[in-house]
Amino acid sequence: DSLLLKDLRQREIPVISELELGWQQAVCLNVSVTGTNGKTTTTELIAHLLTHCHKRTRAVGNIGLPLCAVADESKQLDYLTLEVSSFQLETIRFFRPAVAVLLNITPDHLDRHHTMADYARAKARIFENQQPFDWAVLQSGALERFRAAGVEIPGKLVTFSATDPGADLHLDRGLLISRLPGWEGPLLDIDQCRLSGPHNAENCMAALAVGRILRLPLEETVAAVKSFAPPAHRGELLGGVRGGRFINDSKSTTMHSLEAALRAIPMASGGKPNIWLIAGGKDKGLEYHDVAPLLSQRVKGAFLIGETRERLRSAWSLFTPCSLFGSLLEATDEAARQAVPGDVVLLSPACSSFDQFRNYQHRGEAFREAFAGLLKRSEGGV
């Protein structure tokens, strides 16, 4: 929306993303991953899977390392594994993945895209230049949304879902089940993985589908998925203090990721709430009411920080006790004071970090430091 870019468009001067430029210079095939949540985990999981199966790859793109930085190196690679954001896809021209993975579509970045329809259209551009011999791996719910919007998927399809038994890959009582020809039956027990929760089951299904498409041995792909450790700041168990466990989920920047984090934590005996939630940050134009009923079932109290704390309190206070704090450290200290054995202190902000931190990693590191301080004081008997 900047005046500079409006002027360039009026003068019909092409504007492309760094992703597009890097793709034009790269020479190997790419597997690209987009979606609202789970992009980084799935990108790293696919890169781990490829490496485990003796394929040369690099995980680049929105994950942190720009594609342009490794374009020359692509001559020595079998595949590039790309994390792709809606922002990058807004300004592609010819970018084309050999395998495009779309994990999910839930409200996010509405401060930029304004409507869910615009956001979904930006995400759908990952398939725009694909050919009939390329592959699209989609969550079945996202595929339904695209079809309703008239979005065409030119390539061959593989679907997955944690809730839809009609998907090519689906979750059934902890088992990842395949309906793909030659791959029929159970592939993997999610309880044998280091990743947990239905959302991570979908990430695993997407990675297994990529392995199938690239004709990697099933036993090797399953072994790779089982051995993959979750990246930092995503459901990361830090440890316990006085019987309460502390989980760092700083990467959570949407309501969907918050909901996934809450559902991934086992309930207390008797089904009573056992989570002390630390949330809040910079507003992304999202609606915060949808998760409120789940909060009433799982959350003992919410400690709210950052720019959105008043909005969150307005949306959540009827469903769980809410308290406002000026900093993450203050909120962590109070959560630790109130937690009892069996409780979980969960940092899952459901907002971006840019009001008080450089990025979600900085926010997660601050939570780690706060936990380390609590642990030190606890061990010292303070």
Side-chain angles (χ1 to χ4, degrees), residues 18-39:
E18 180 274 332
L19 175 75
E20 173 71 26
L21 178 62
W23 179 82
Q24 290 182 14
Q25 301 303 314
V27 296
C28 67
L29 298 175
N30 75 82
V31 177
S32 292
V33 180
T34 196
T36 305
N37 298 298
K39 293 188 297 297

Side-chain angles (χ1 to χ4, degrees), residues 126-141:
I126 196 170
F127 308 111
E128 187 173 288
N129 297 311
Q130 284 195 301
Q131 301 299 308
F133 48 81
D134 294 321
W135 287 86
V137 179
L138 287 91
Q139 184 205 53
S140 57

Side-chain angles (χ1 to χ4, degrees), residues 33-45 62-63 82-86 101 103-104 108-109 119 123 203 234 251:
V33 180
T34 196
T36 305
N37 298 298
K39 293 188 297 297
T40 301
T41 297
T42 306
T43 300
E44 293 189 0
L45 174 56
N62 192 61
I63 200 168
L82 304 179
E83 178 184 330
V84 180
S85 74
S86 59
V101 178
L103 297 169
N104 44 63
D108 196 13
H109 301 303
Y119 176 52
K123 287 291 191 188
N203 297 339
R234 297 161 179 83
K251 185 63 169 65

Side-chain angles (χ1 to χ4, degrees), residues 219-241:
E219 289 185 4
E220 292 299 311
T221 58
V222 168
V225 171
K226 286 181 178 179
S227 66
F228 178 73
H233 313 298
R234 297 161 179 83
E236 176 188 12
L237 177 61
L238 301 182
V241 175

